[in-house]
Amino acid sequence: MHQEKRFGVEGIAVSIPKHFIDLGTLAEATGVDPAKYYRGLGGRRMAVVTPIEDPVTMAVEATRTLIDRYDVDPSGIGMLIVGSESGVDAAKPIASYVHGMLGLAPHCRTFDTQHACYGATAALQMARDWTSRQVGEGKKAIVVATDIARYEVGSAGEPTQGAGAVALLVGNRPDVLVIENHDDAVYTADVMDFWRPHYSSTAMVDGHYSLECYLKALENTYLTHRAASGLGWDDYRHLLFHVPFPKMAFKAFRQLHEIESKERNGDFGPLEEQFDRMTAPALWANIEVGNVYSASLYLSFAGLLEKSGHDLEGARLGFFSYGSGCCAEFFSGTVGTDASAWQGRIGVAEALAGRIELDYDQYLELRKETEAISRDGSYRERPASNGEHVWFCGVQGHQRIYARAM
Ligand code: COA
C-alpha cells in the first residue's frame, strides 16, 4: 500500500540569555503600574543580552545543542537557514557564522531569511519543501530562529523586549512534528506597522496598528487554511500563535473563538476555559523570556512540548506565524507519537534555571555596553572559550570577532 511521505521537525533546541529583568522592576522604575505589564500584557520577565551575546552566539548555542542532543551528523546537513530580523551585517548572513563556528560541511546551502517575525516560518517551509526532494540522499536541514527584541527606553514597546534562539532539525523522520496540509494559507500586505531602519539598533512600531494588522492576517489565513485543509477548530488539541507579548496570544485566540462562535450561533464552549486548555499551556516560556521575534512561535512550541511530554503524543496543533510588514501564515502539524524523541533534549527549563536578575540600572548599563561593542574598534581580548560557549568579542577592522566554540 502506498504510504504518504512525511516531512517536518526531527528535533528542537533553544538558547536563552542568562540575564533577565522582571517587568515589575521595569514598571516601578518608570512609574508604571506593574499590573499593566503583568496583567495587561501578560508578561513576567524578559531576557536581556550581555555585550558578549548577540544573534550569532545565540544561534550557535541553539544549533550546537540541537546537534549534540539529537545525534545529528553534521556532514548530512545540506541546508542551514537562519530566520532573523536582528541581522548583524547588511551582507554576510548569520548562517555563515553558524556554519563556520560549528564546522558544518561545505556542501551546504547557507542563507538568512528576513521578514520581521515571519522569517523563521518562511525558512521552515522552504526547508521542509527542500527535504521532501532529498529523500534519496537523506540530507537534512537546520532552521534557526534567533532574535533580540529591542525598543527605545521609555517607549510603549520596551516591556515587550526579550532575546533567544530556537533551532529546528528538518527532515524525513519527523518524530517531533509532521508538518501537514501545506496549503499555503499565507497573507501579505504592504503595511508600516513595525520596522527597523538600517541606522537604528531599536525597532519602531505603530503598536496598536500592528495588533490590528496581526488580527486581520490571522482571520484571513485561518479561514484560508480551514477551507483548503478541511481541518477545523475541533481538530486541534492546541493553537499556537506568534507571541510579541503573551496577552496577544489571548487576543488572537479570542478572534478565532469569535469566528467559530458566530458560525455556531453562540453554541460554543466558553472563551476562557478553551483558552486555558488550548493555548495557555504553550505560553509559559514566552512569559519568562519575552518577545523573541522570529523565534517566539517556536519557543511557544518548545515550551509546550517540554511541559506536556507524553500528553502531547499524536496531537494536532495549529500554528499562526505573523511578521510585520507584513506576511503571515497558518499551518498545522501532528506531534510525533513517542515523546522520547524530544523529552529531555529541548532544554527550556534548563536554560531558565539559575538566571541572573538585573535591577533597572544594571539593565540600562547592559544596553549601553551592548550598543558600544558593535562599533569598530571595540574588540577586547577575552578569556579563551571553555568549549561550552561562544562569545562575541567586539569589532576590529570592521569585522565581528568571536571566541570560537570548537
Ligand atoms: N492594570 C491592568 N491592566 C492595564 C493597566 C493596569 N493598571 N493599564 C493598562 N492595562 C491594560 C490595557 O487595558 C491593555 O489591555 P487590553 O489590550 O486587553 O485592553 C494593556 O494593558 C495594554 O495597555 P495599552 O494602554 O494598550 O498599552 P500601550 O499603549 O502602552 O501599548 C502595546 C501596548 C502592545 C501596543 C505596546 O506594548 C507595543 O507597541 N508593543 C509592541 C507590539 C508589537 O510587538 N507589534 C509587532 C507585531 S505583532
Side-chain angles (χ1 to χ4, degrees):
M1 203 175 93
H2 171 73
Q3 222 188 346
E4 204 193 333
K5 295 215 165 55
R6 298 155 9 120
F7 302 95
V9 179
E10 299 189 7
I12 179 166
V14 304
S15 166
I16 297 166
K18 276 286 166 221
H19 294 78
F20 73 90
I21 181 166
D22 194 288
L23 293 185
T25 306
L26 178 68
E28 275 160 21
T30 51
V32 174
D33 179 357
K36 175 175 177 181
Y37 296 165
Y38 289 150
R39 285 212 306 279
L41 298 179
R44 187 87 219 166
R45 304 190 171 99
M46 55 189 197
V48 178
V49 288
T50 58
I52 61 171
E53 294 165 309
D54 74 356
V56 172
T57 64
M58 294 188 299
V60 170
E61 298 278 348
T63 309
R64 186 174 32 202
T65 305
L66 184 82
I67 289 173
D68 289 349
R69 296 199 179 165
Y70 295 84
D71 298 322
V72 178
D73 171 8
S75 68
I77 301 301
M79 185 180 264
L80 169 69
I81 319 177
V82 174
S84 182
E85 56 186 285
S86 320
V88 295
D89 190 287
K92 179 165 172 157
I94 294 171
S96 294
Y97 289 104
V98 177
H99 182 277
M101 280 189 243
L102 293 177
L104 298 185
H107 300 292
C108 178
R109 269 199 188 99
T110 52
F111 56 97
D112 290 0
T113 47
Q114 180 207 311
H115 192 140
C117 305
Y118 175 72
T121 301
L124 177 61
Q125 296 295 16
M126 196 179 299
R128 179 202 176 276
D129 286 348
W130 177 79
T131 50
S132 73
R133 293 186 283 110
Q134 298 293 320
V135 187
E137 294 174 42
K139 291 261 185 192
K140 300 187 189 306
I142 290 178
V143 169
V144 194
T146 183
D147 265 312
I148 300 172
R150 195 183 282 135
Y151 298 92
E152 279 299 315
V153 169
S155 68
E158 190 181 19
T160 70
Q161 300 176 115
V166 178
L168 304 160
L169 180 66
V170 181
N172 63 353
R173 294 187 54 196
D175 293 334
V176 174
L177 184 78
V178 178
I179 298 175
E180 53 182 17
N181 298 307
H182 191 32
D183 292 310
D184 289 333
V186 292
Y187 171 89
T188 284
D190 178 6
V191 290
M192 210 63 190
D193 61 332
F194 167 106
W195 65 103
R196 182 170 66 83
H198 278 308
Y199 53 78
S200 177
S201 63
T202 50
M204 300 173 183
V205 60
D206 187 344
H208 292 281
Y209 177 54
S210 79
L211 309 191
E212 273 174 42
C213 295
Y214 175 120
L215 292 175
K216 188 172 175 189
L218 170 64
E219 176 165 350
N220 197 298
T221 53
Y222 176 73
L223 292 177
T224 305
H225 185 271
R226 199 179 66 174
S229 68
L231 291 173
W233 183 273
D234 298 329
D235 294 304
Y236 298 113
R237 176 94 58 86
H238 295 285
L239 288 171
L240 278 62
F241 301 94
H242 168 51
V243 192
F245 53 94
K247 184 79 168 287
M248 191 63 214
F250 176 75
K251 290 175 191 283
F253 187 91
R254 183 174 60 194
Q255 167 105 346
L256 299 188
H257 187 273
E258 267 171 29
I259 292 170
E260 295 285 341
S261 192
K262 212 180 280 173
E263 289 176 5
R264 300 176 202 206
N265 296 318
D267 184 17
F268 199 46
L271 171 64
E272 272 79 13
E273 181 273 319
Q274 295 201 50
F275 173 75
D276 287 348
R277 182 167 43 81
M278 294 176 73
T279 296
L283 295 176
W284 69 275
N286 305 79
I287 289 169
E288 285 295 325
V289 177
N291 193 1
V292 247
Y293 289 160
S294 65
S296 286
L297 175 63
Y298 301 99
L299 179 64
S300 202
F301 178 44
L304 180 69
L305 280 169
E306 187 165 295
K307 264 276 159 70
S308 305
H310 292 288
D311 290 346
L312 213 58
E313 289 173 346
R316 178 173 283 117
L317 311 179
F319 294 83
F320 174 67
S321 174
Y322 176 80
S324 290
C326 69
C327 184
E329 177 163 357
F330 191 99
F331 64 97
S332 64
T334 306
V335 177
T337 51
D338 180 3
S340 67
W342 67 82
Q343 251 174 357
R345 302 186 192 198
I346 306 173
V348 184
E350 196 180 312
L352 293 173
R355 284 196 301 171
I356 299 155
E357 180 164 6
L358 302 170
D359 64 27
Y360 183 66
D361 289 340
Q362 289 168 324
Y363 152 75
L364 288 183
E365 190 54 36
L366 276 184
R367 279 186 71 120
K368 227 192 292 162
E369 285 176 23
T370 306
E371 290 264 313
I373 197 172
S374 290
R375 294 195 201 107
D376 193 31
S378 62
Y379 174 75
R380 298 279 178 277
E381 284 292 343
R382 287 173 200 275
S385 166
N386 61 7
E388 281 179 20
H389 297 290
V390 55
W391 293 331
F392 172 46
C393 303
V395 182
Q396 190 175 43
H398 301 288
Q399 294 182 26
R400 296 177 82 83
I401 317 268
Y402 293 89
R404 296 169 69 109
M406 311 299 281

